[in-house]
């Protein structure tokens, strides 16, 4: 049974906390699965190829910046598709997807090219020759999957904006299960040198991303209401995607600054030694696992705010924002506490190296605090994109993360010799600052919307 186009957008259909939680569940499966495709590789290598944990950690940290960048660069696809479905011309949704796919191929191709220069880049950032060589080879392989990943994200955002995120979630879950099974088989077989095994594991992830891109486009082409959505073959025109790119460049720059700042902490950790880098990789993966849930809530919040804004409904936009921020702070508090209580098990699963585990274990408490701010700021950032805010929010991110995280990380961790503790302190400070300042800006912009009619969650 087909879903009516006008009511398909999640933001157009329902408001409130209950609706947000339902929609965020599927969005989380997609984002967590995409992120876990990288994290699972690091965990498997940490168990079966211990000597490769440091180069794998640095390579996947850099590649992760480029992969996560897609969630910002392509955010315009989700926001504009949700707005089209909530408005009088749902047939415009197909044009939005076409523009997003063109953008995906171009941006993904540039990222692939950048990944082929991994070794000299890592050497330039002060990593050891051995880590740079092995990490550079891994980065070159991981880069092959980025264009496919970008295409898949465009398709997933399109489906989520129409309230059909279950399709993307199912594809991601299947790919994650296959990736874990195949990668574990390669690692457990121990038939290859550890460096070669790490390359094979990365290659499996790339192949699965290619299959995901083809599958999501095939399923979109088979939607029963594809004609009503305006899905048809058309010659792409760069000028048509101007609005999509306006949101994407600004949101992408925010995520790029944030991700690059986090990656800079990996660089600083590498300056502290291979063991410190491996320990930071373990801690960063714990943050990433929880952050994927926050990202899902942020995406749904942004779509709901966008629908409220396109209708001129201030109460709807404010309710979507309050629901999102309440949900993410509560969830991050619960997950952070659970992570701290289960720290021994989680760290043991991430690495078999006793020295690395000893460095990471005492710092899990800091991770539990960090995720509160990190989750909060990403929801507020997505809500601002839903209001159409572009570069002001990006400049706030730039100031907080470049100055407080990168600059503060170097000052606290390296110059003041606080080590990994200083790096995590800087990350926490930057995230809390971004959350507070972005929240103030959201309320300033929301006041400009017409009062409209009050929106209520469905009974």
């Amino acid at each position: 049974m087909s879903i009516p186009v006008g009511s398909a957008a999640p933001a157009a259909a329902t408001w409130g906390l209950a609706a947000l939680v339902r929609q965020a569940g599927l969005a989380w499966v997609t984002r967590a699965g995409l992120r876990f495709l990288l994290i699972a590789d690091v965990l498997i290598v940490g168990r079966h190829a211990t000597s490769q944990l440091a180069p794998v950690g640095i390579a996947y940290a850099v590649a992760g910046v480029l992969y996560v960048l897609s969630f910002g660069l392509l955010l315009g696809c989700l926001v504009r598709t949700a707005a089209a479905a909530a408005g009088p011309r749902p047939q415009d949704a197909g044009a939005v997807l076409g523009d997003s796919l063109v953008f995906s191929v171009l941006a993904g191709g540039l990222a692939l090219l950048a990944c082929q220069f991994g070794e000299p880049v890592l050497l330039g950032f002060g990593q050891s020759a051995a880590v740079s060589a092995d990490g550079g080879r891994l980065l070159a392989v991981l880069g092959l999957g980025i264009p496919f990943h970008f295409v898949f994200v465009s398709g997933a955002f399109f489906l989520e904006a129409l309230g059909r995120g279950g399709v993307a979630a199912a594809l991601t879950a299947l790919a994650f299960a296959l990736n874990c099974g195949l990668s574990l088989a390669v690692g457990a077989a121990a038939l290859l040198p550890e460096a070669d095994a790490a390359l094979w594991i990365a290659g499996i992830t790339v192949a699965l991303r290619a299959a995901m891109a083809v599958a999501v486009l095939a399923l979109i082409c088979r939607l029963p209401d594809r004609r009503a959505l305006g899905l048809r073959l058309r010659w792409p025109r760069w000028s048509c995607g101007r609005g999509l790119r306006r949101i994407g460049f600004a949101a992408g720059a925010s995520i790029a600054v944030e991700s690059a700042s986090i990656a800079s902490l990996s660089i600083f950790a590498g300056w502290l030694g291979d063991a410190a880098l491996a320990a930071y990789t373990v801690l960063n993966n714990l943050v990433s696992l929880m952050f994927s849930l926050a990202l899902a809530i942020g995406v749904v919040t942004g779509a709901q705010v966008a629908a409220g804004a396109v209708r001129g409904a201030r109460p709807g936009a404010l309710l979507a924002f309050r629901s999102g921020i309440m949900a993410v702070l509560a969830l991050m508090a619960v997950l952070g506490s659970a992570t701290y209580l289960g720290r021994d098990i989680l760290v043991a699963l991430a690495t078999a190296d006793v020295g690395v585990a000893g460095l990471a274990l005492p710092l899990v408490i800091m991770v539990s605090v960090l995720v509160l701010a990190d989750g909060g700021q990403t929801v507020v950032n997505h809500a601002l994109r839903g209001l159409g805010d572009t570069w002001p929010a990006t400049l706030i991110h730039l100031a907080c993360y470049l100055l407080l995280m990168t600059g503060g990380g170097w000052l606290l961790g390296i110059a003041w010799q606080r080590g990994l503790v200083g790096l995590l302190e800087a990350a926490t400070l930057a995230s809390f600052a971004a959350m507070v300042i972005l929240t103030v800006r959201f309320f300033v912009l929301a006041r400009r919307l017409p009062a409209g009619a009050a929106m209520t969650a469905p009974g």
Side-chain angles (χ1 to χ4, degrees), residues 18-432:
L20 182 142
V21 170
R22 288 195 301 270
Q23 295 154 11
L26 292 174
W28 173 75
V29 172
T30 300
R31 278 146 194 81
L34 291 172
R35 182 63 177 154
F36 290 176
L37 281 171
L38 295 177
I39 294 175
D41 288 356
V42 178
L43 295 176
I44 291 168
V45 169
R47 297 294 301 175
H48 297 286
T50 307
S51 68
Q52 290 296 297
L53 183 54
V56 165
I58 196 69
Y60 277 72
V62 175
V65 172
L66 298 173
Y67 276 98
V68 173
L69 188 59
S70 65
F71 298 133
L73 285 176
L74 303 174
L75 185 61
C77 180
L78 185 142
V79 170
R80 291 179 67 84
T81 300
R89 290 180 54 83
Q91 64 269 26
D92 289 345
V96 172
L97 176 62
D99 295 335
S100 184
L101 290 174
V102 172
F103 191 26
S104 297
V105 172
L106 294 175
L110 289 175
L112 186 159
L113 182 63
C115 286
Q116 307 312 305
F117 302 94
E119 183 175 358
V121 169
L122 294 178
L123 283 171
F125 280 118
Q127 304 304 298
S128 68
V131 167
S132 297
D134 289 343
R137 283 193 294 270
L138 278 166
L139 195 55
V141 174
L142 290 170
L144 299 176
I146 296 180
F148 298 113
H149 168 79
F150 273 51
V151 168
F152 177 81
V153 169
S154 283
F157 277 2
F158 178 79
L159 291 169
E160 288 173 352
L162 297 175
R164 308 175 196 187
V167 176
L171 286 174
T172 307
L174 177 60
F176 174 67
L178 289 172
N179 180 66
C180 286
L182 295 172
S183 298
L184 281 170
V186 170
L191 299 177
L192 298 168
E194 291 189 348
D196 292 340
L199 287 172
W200 273 86
I201 289 172
I204 290 169
T205 302
V206 169
L208 288 171
R209 289 189 188 274
M212 291 167 67
V214 173
V216 76
L217 293 182
L219 289 171
I220 288 174
C221 289
R222 293 180 61 83
L223 289 176
D225 50 356
R226 56 188 177 275
R227 293 185 184 277
L229 290 170
L231 291 171
R232 64 181 187 274
L233 291 175
R234 55 169 58 85
W235 186 257
R237 289 184 295 172
W238 179 255
S239 60
C240 293
R242 186 178 297 110
L244 180 147
R245 293 192 302 273
R246 183 174 62 86
I247 297 173
F249 284 143
S254 284
I255 290 182
V257 168
E258 180 182 352
S259 299
S261 296
I262 293 171
S264 72
L265 298 187
S266 293
I267 300 295
F268 297 155
W271 293 358
L272 299 172
D274 288 356
L277 174 57
Y280 178 78
T281 298
V282 171
L283 296 169
N284 191 40
N285 282 339
L286 291 177
V287 175
S288 297
L289 291 173
M290 291 179 274
F291 178 77
S292 61
L293 279 163
L295 184 60
I297 293 173
V299 165
V300 176
T301 301
Q304 289 188 342
V305 170
V310 81
R311 293 172 170 181
R314 185 198 307 166
L318 290 174
L319 179 58
F321 174 78
R322 288 195 299 268
S323 299
I325 200 69
M326 287 168 54
V328 78
L329 291 179
L331 186 59
M332 292 301 103
V334 171
L335 290 177
S337 300
T339 297
Y340 177 71
L341 294 175
R343 60 192 181 281
D344 294 307
I345 297 173
L346 292 172
V347 172
L349 288 173
T351 179
D353 190 305
V354 177
V356 172
L359 286 173
L361 271 172
L363 302 180
V364 175
I365 182 63
M366 300 186 69
V367 167
S368 300
V369 176
L370 168 59
V371 293
L372 278 171
D374 201 24
Q377 65 83 22
T378 196
V379 168
V380 182
N381 189 31
H382 279 80
L384 281 169
R385 305 309 177 187
L387 289 180
D389 195 28
T390 53
W391 290 107
T394 298
L395 293 175
I396 292 171
H397 251 120
L398 187 149
C400 290
Y401 281 90
L402 288 185
L403 294 177
L404 298 179
M405 184 178 287
T406 300
W410 176 84
L411 182 65
L412 294 170
I414 305 301
W416 291 359
Q417 300 182 2
R418 292 181 59 79
L420 293 178
V421 173
L423 300 184
L424 292 174
E425 288 172 342
T428 303
L429 176 62
S431 297
F432 270 111

